[in-house]
Amino acid sequence: MKPNLFIFIVSVCVVIFVHYLEYIGFTPCQLCIYQRWPWYLIIFLSLISIFYDKKIYPYNKFIIFLFFVGSAAYAGWHAGIEWAFWEGPSTCTTGTNKIDSHDNLLENIQNIQSFVPCNEASFRFLGISLAGYNFISSLIMSIYTFLFLRNENE
């Protein structure tokens, strides 16, 4: 199987899986939504490279590699927030201190109820959150892309 086709299939499967989890009721936090963007861009770039392999793929592979590395770094940072290794952005947590006036009390309460904190994993499998699995999959795919780049340049 061509590496660009493999990258495309894996990326599509990852995105379909996270959207399915959202569909069945696991609401993502804001950092989780941001973690999807590299995957969307990788899908786009790898799809283009399937059809225009010779013309743009040499440059495209390196860009895809950088997106995987960035995705792994961002997912690792988010997983560290979930495990309380470090604090996340101030927008990751909520509390009653978010209600600063009584003028818009109902609106403030609704915003707090619909808020999904970034420092609590809404779904864990085998003790690892989705941010952790995103870190693992992004790291594996970055290594795969790096090895493919290295082997192609030899």
Side-chain angles (χ1 to χ4, degrees), residues 17 21 26-27 32 75-76 78-85 117-134 136:
F17 180 71
L21 285 177
F26 293 102
T27 307
C32 293
H78 185 196
I81 292 169
E82 291 175 343
W83 284 99
F85 292 149
C118 304
N119 58 351
E120 297 174 16
S122 63
F123 177 77
R124 289 189 189 271
F125 180 70
L126 300 176
I128 302 173
S129 68
L130 289 178
Y133 282 111
N134 186 16
I136 293 167

Side-chain angles (χ1 to χ4, degrees), residues 5 8 10 19 23-24 30 33 38 41 43 54-55 66 69 71 84-85 96-97 112 115 118 128 135 138 145 148:
L5 181 61
F8 175 77
V10 168
H19 281 285
Y23 175 76
I24 62 172
Q30 196 62 39
I33 291 172
L41 294 170
I43 289 171
K54 301 286 185 214
K55 294 180 182 176
L66 291 177
V69 170
S71 178
F85 292 149
T96 55
N97 58 349
I112 289 173
F115 180 79
C118 304
I128 302 173
F135 171 75
S138 296
T145 308
F148 174 63

Side-chain angles (χ1 to χ4, degrees), residues 4 7 41-68 145 148-149 152:
N4 49 358
I7 290 169
L41 294 170
I42 290 166
I43 289 171
F44 176 72
L45 291 173
S46 60
L47 181 63
I48 289 173
S49 67
I50 290 170
F51 298 109
Y52 299 105
D53 190 26
K54 301 286 185 214
K55 294 180 182 176
I56 66 166
Y57 198 58
Y59 309 105
N60 209 3
K61 289 179 284 197
F62 184 69
I63 295 169
I64 289 172
F65 167 73
L66 291 177
F67 277 130
F68 278 131
T145 308
F148 174 63
L149 280 168
E152 200 171 71

